[in-house]
Amino acid sequence: MKQDISTMADKIRYVQDTLQMINGKWKVPILMSMYGGKNRFRDIQRNIPAITTRVLSKELKDLEANKLVTRTVHDGKPVSISYTLTAYSHTLTPVVDEMIKWGKQHRKGGL
Amino acid sequence: MKQDISTMADKIRYVQDTLQMINGKWKVPILMSMYGGKNRFRDIQRNIPAITTRVLSKELKDLEANKLVTRTVHDGKPVSISYTLTAYSHTLTPVVDEMIKWGKQHRKGGL
DNA sequence: CCGAATCCAATATGATACTG
DNA sequence: CAGTATCATATTGGATTCGG
């Protein structure tokens, strides 16, 4: 078995890289709400309490720029637009799952 | 084996709770840099590239308010002050470890 | 050394209204 | 429905200085 020879400074840099991808209050919740498949803007918004269209719009653009979501325009009358998670975004699942676990066990509001 | 019956809305709330504890660019790196034991302000600052005293001061207060770190004043001439992690802060280890792993595998700068 | 105080810039978030 | 535009506030981050 190999041991982890990363220095603490390395680890801090890794974490900072991760944080840059999912920074802010909204990105992880948005990704979570999209797990099902195709998602329309309005549906995502309904799934995230209290997010405004302005913020959601900006966050979706960030996520797209980071290759975590894909935006697709479906022609038709009227055109519909859907957002889907990329395969890449699924690599974040272990991180997100640990965050869910922690929040569940330690939330202040009680169970 | 029990299944997880949390709804997506629940999970989103859990994650939001977690995010509130570790929000921002600095809290997780600060916690990581403190793993060794007692830490003085100046040492923590040295471990986190580019953090200023103002930010570190504020973040340490937040972390203290959230019971993740303890501030101790050691009498003497001159007095010295140390920060240590609480037992509670160690419950975040799985989250932090996953963030390290992800950052290590996906960082843009290459290995 | 350990911060607090001050000043300021940059981002993030929010409320509301509006367009195609 | 899927956003954009505008305005306002809040939070964060940074530079510098200063006191115990």
Side-chain angles (χ1 to χ4, degrees), chain A residues 32-87:
Chain A
M32 290 172 67
S33 80
M34 292 176 63
Y35 264 79
K38 294 180 190 300
N39 304 272
R40 284 174 304 167
F41 189 93
R42 196 82 174 90
D43 295 331
I44 300 171
Q45 190 179 15
R46 258 192 285 269
N47 286 329
I48 316 280
I51 197 169
T52 63
T53 63
R54 183 188 181 293
V55 171
L56 180 54
S57 176
K58 186 243 183 202
E59 296 292 295
L60 283 171
K61 278 178 189 167
D62 288 352
L63 291 168
E64 215 192 329
N66 284 339
K67 311 287 185 193
L68 295 176
V69 312
T70 306
R71 180 183 190 269
T72 309
V73 180
H74 305 278
D75 289 330
K77 289 162 76 73
V79 299
S80 80
I81 293 173
S82 68
Y83 294 89
T84 52
L85 296 175
T86 62

Side-chain angles (χ1 to χ4, degrees), chain B residues 43-102:
Chain B
D43 296 329
I44 300 171
Q45 190 179 16
R46 259 191 285 270
N47 287 329
I48 316 279
I51 197 169
T52 63
T53 64
R54 182 188 183 291
V55 172
L56 180 55
S57 177
K58 185 241 183 204
E59 297 291 295
L60 283 171
K61 278 179 190 167
D62 288 352
L63 291 169
E64 214 192 331
N66 285 340
K67 312 286 185 193
L68 294 176
V69 312
T70 307
R71 180 182 190 270
T72 309
V73 180
H74 304 277
D75 289 330
K77 288 162 78 71
V79 300
S80 80
I81 294 174
S82 68
Y83 294 89
T84 50
L85 295 176
T86 61
Y88 183 42
S89 80
H90 290 293
T91 64
L92 280 168
T93 301
V95 179
V96 176
D97 284 348
E98 289 298 335
M99 288 175 51
I100 294 170
K101 273 200 235 171
W102 193 90

Side-chain angles (χ1 to χ4, degrees), chain B residues 7-22:
Chain B
T7 65
M8 180 56 65
D10 286 335
K11 291 183 180 179
I12 289 176
R13 278 191 288 272
Y14 298 148
V15 164
Q16 286 174 327
D17 289 340
T18 303
L19 288 170
Q20 248 186 356
M21 292 291 282
I22 60 174

Side-chain angles (χ1 to χ4, degrees), chain B residues 28-41:
Chain B
V28 175
I30 289 170
L31 293 175
M32 290 171 67
S33 81
M34 292 175 63
Y35 265 78
K38 294 180 190 302
N39 304 273
R40 285 174 304 166
F41 187 93

